[in-house]
């Protein structure tokens, strides 16, 4: 079983229902608490963090002239976490979204005005934060589900984003994390699309937390992806393992830490086929201890303890 090497990371969860147990806490985090949270994550053995968004609901998480700013417990949480990551050896993929209505990702990828705003933000972020050694790459958060193959507009969105990323920060890596993993067509057309996509890493969602896939099915889907990626010889294959469950109705209730036994089975299922395992997500689902950095449900302590015991975390 491969260890967990990275996680998604956020200042506020995009769904208030799902983020019930940690959004109010993170909103009040001071710079000292954000620093300590990044250190905690590094101490758990993680080396990659993927920032879900730099803006949402038409407000930003960093000082900008492009949008109003979310009122948070510190003035510039993006600067704080990147500075912390510099110290603790974390590599950040920084998001280039969400700008506009995140519930309509197809529109966000197609709309020329949203694209202009996204490009302006990437330029601003590269200028303000590109000096951080922890700024390892870019993450493109807008996703459409794979229905056999990728939509053409998704490929265009990714490639346009990567073109701008390469212009701004030529050494920066790029990451996407598609869903619809179970629907991937095992054919030459999918291989050709992989060859077209200008992205370094593709971390496919295992979709077990959202109850679209059963644990016992996961290995087969990732084995097929391994064969497709090997044939394309382009983007590297990573996994995005969902370490949550829903308190009630899927997508309409709070996220809770999944049972550790299930998570370990998920990690075992994908390990033979992927280069690295990232999780969705440490924030809110895992805590090492009670104290000033605690954010999430009490079960998050148990999940950390059992994953550490199973060598998935330190």
């Amino acid at each position: 079983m491969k260890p967990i090497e990275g996680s998604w990371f956020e200042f506020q969860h995009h769904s208030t229902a799902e983020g019930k147990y940690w959004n109010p806490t993170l909103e009040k985090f001071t710079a000292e608490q954000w620093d300590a949270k990044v250190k905690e994550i590094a101490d758990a053995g993680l080396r990659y963090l993927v920032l879900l968004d730099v803006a949402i609901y038409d407000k930003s998480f960093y000082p900008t002239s492009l949008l109003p700013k979310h009122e948070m417990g510190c003035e510039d949480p993006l600067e704080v976490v990147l500075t912390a990551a510099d110290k603790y050896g974390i590599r950040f993929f920084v998001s280039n979204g969400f700008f506009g209505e995140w519930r309509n990702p197809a529109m966000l990828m197609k709309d020329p005005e949203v694209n202009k705003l996204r490009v302006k933000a990437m330029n601003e972020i590269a200028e303000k934060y590109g000096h951080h050694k922890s700024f390892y790459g870019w993450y493109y958060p807008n996703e459409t589900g794979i229905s056999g193959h990728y939509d053409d507009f998704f490929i265009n969105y990714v490639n346009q984003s990567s073109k701008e990323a390469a212009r701004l920060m030529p050494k920066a890596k790029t990451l996407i994390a598609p869903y619809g993993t179970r629907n991937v067509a095992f054919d030459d057309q999918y291989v050709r699309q992989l060859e077209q996509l200008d992205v370094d890493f593709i971390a496919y969602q295992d979709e077990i937390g959202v109850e679209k896939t059963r644990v016992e099915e996961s290995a087969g889907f990732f084995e097929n992806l391994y064969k497709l990626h090997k044939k394309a010889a382009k983007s590297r294959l990573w996994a995005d393992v969902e370490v949550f469950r829903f308190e009630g109705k899927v997508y309409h209730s709070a996220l809770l830490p999944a049972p550790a036994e299930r998570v370990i089975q998920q990690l075992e299922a994908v390990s033979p086929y992927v280069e690295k395992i990232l999780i969705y997500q440490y924030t809110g689902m895992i805590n090492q201890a009670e104290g000033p950095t605690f954010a999430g449900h009490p079960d998050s302590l148990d999940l950390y303890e059992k994953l550490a015991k199973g060598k998935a975390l330190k």
Side-chain angles (χ1 to χ4, degrees):
M1 184 182 77
K2 285 186 168 71
I4 296 166
E5 291 194 57
S7 173
W8 265 254
F9 185 89
E10 62 192 9
F11 302 121
Q12 288 286 278
H13 193 65
H14 50 286
S15 163
T16 52
E18 292 179 5
K20 168 184 172 182
Y21 290 107
W22 69 92
N23 263 358
T25 304
L26 295 186
E27 188 178 35
K28 296 180 177 66
F29 259 26
T30 63
E32 291 75 19
Q33 286 171 298
W34 283 118
D35 181 286
K37 177 56 79 174
V38 174
K39 183 179 187 299
E40 175 193 330
I41 292 170
D43 289 345
L46 278 65
R47 289 293 171 262
Y48 298 89
L49 285 174
V50 183
L51 183 61
L52 181 67
D53 51 40
V54 291
I56 199 159
Y57 298 119
D58 299 317
K59 290 184 179 181
S60 73
F61 291 111
Y62 69 98
T64 173
S65 60
L66 301 173
L67 293 171
K69 195 165 73 68
H70 287 280
E71 291 299 319
M72 302 288 287
C74 72
E75 177 64 19
D76 188 350
L78 182 53
E79 173 64 31
V80 171
V81 298
L82 288 172
T83 300
D86 291 344
K87 288 191 288 185
Y88 306 125
I90 293 283
R91 293 173 165 181
F92 252 102
F93 290 93
V94 176
S95 174
N96 73 341
F98 290 111
F99 297 100
E101 179 47 67
W102 66 270
R103 296 180 186 86
N104 189 353
M107 181 276 291
L108 296 185
M109 289 184 255
K110 293 177 181 178
D111 188 282
E113 292 307 311
V114 173
N115 184 59
K116 286 179 187 175
L117 180 57
R118 181 165 50 241
V119 168
K120 285 180 183 177
M122 289 179 73
N123 278 263
E124 187 176 62
I125 289 165
E127 183 179 350
K128 288 171 72 78
Y129 306 104
H131 65 280
H132 285 282
K133 66 178 181 180
S134 59
F135 196 148
Y136 180 67
W138 295 91
Y139 166 60
Y140 311 144
N142 296 316
E143 302 287 359
T144 54
I146 302 168
S147 298
H149 304 95
Y150 292 103
D151 292 311
D152 288 340
F153 64 80
F154 177 74
I155 294 174
N156 291 337
Y157 154 74
V158 169
N159 290 351
Q160 287 171 6
S161 294
S162 288
K163 184 178 179 181
E164 190 64 19
R167 189 185 70 80
L168 293 169
M169 299 172 64
K171 294 182 180 179
K173 302 296 186 182
T174 53
L175 169 73
I176 58 173
Y179 65 95
T181 304
R182 66 179 300 115
N183 303 320
V184 169
F186 191 61
D187 62 15
D188 288 340
Q189 184 182 342
Y190 192 83
V191 173
R192 286 194 297 272
Q193 289 192 318
L194 287 177
E195 291 169 343
Q196 291 170 21
L197 276 168
D198 183 15
V199 67
D200 292 300
F201 309 112
I202 305 181
Y204 294 84
Q205 300 173 27
D206 74 349
E207 298 193 299
I208 289 166
V210 294
E211 300 179 20
K212 293 178 181 177
T213 294
R214 299 190 304 275
V215 175
E216 56 269 24
E217 297 177 294
S218 183
F221 299 145
F222 277 86
E223 182 178 13
N224 283 344
L225 287 167
Y226 172 80
K227 293 174 181 175
L228 291 163
H229 274 255
K230 189 174 182 181
K231 196 169 182 181
K234 187 93 182 277
S235 307
R236 313 256 276 282
L237 174 58
W238 290 8
D240 174 4
V241 169
E242 297 176 345
V243 300
F244 60 84
R245 62 186 177 90
F246 281 89
E247 190 170 43
K249 189 177 179 183
V250 174
Y251 295 122
H252 297 281
S253 63
L255 298 185
L256 301 176
E261 296 76 18
R262 191 201 86 187
V263 173
I264 287 170
Q265 289 175 346
Q266 291 171 256
L267 299 174
E268 289 172 341
V270 303
S271 284
Y273 309 110
V274 302
E275 183 183 61
K276 295 186 186 297
I277 296 176
L278 276 57
I279 58 170
Y280 194 92
Q281 63 181 7
Y282 192 105
T283 320
M285 297 298 104
I286 299 174
N287 283 283
Q288 283 190 29
E290 294 181 3
T293 64
F294 185 92
H297 191 273
D299 288 354
S300 59
L301 296 167
D302 183 68
L303 182 55
Y304 168 75
E305 183 181 337
K306 289 178 176 174
L307 289 179
K309 188 175 180 181
K311 307 298 184 188
L313 294 172
K314 284 186 180 177

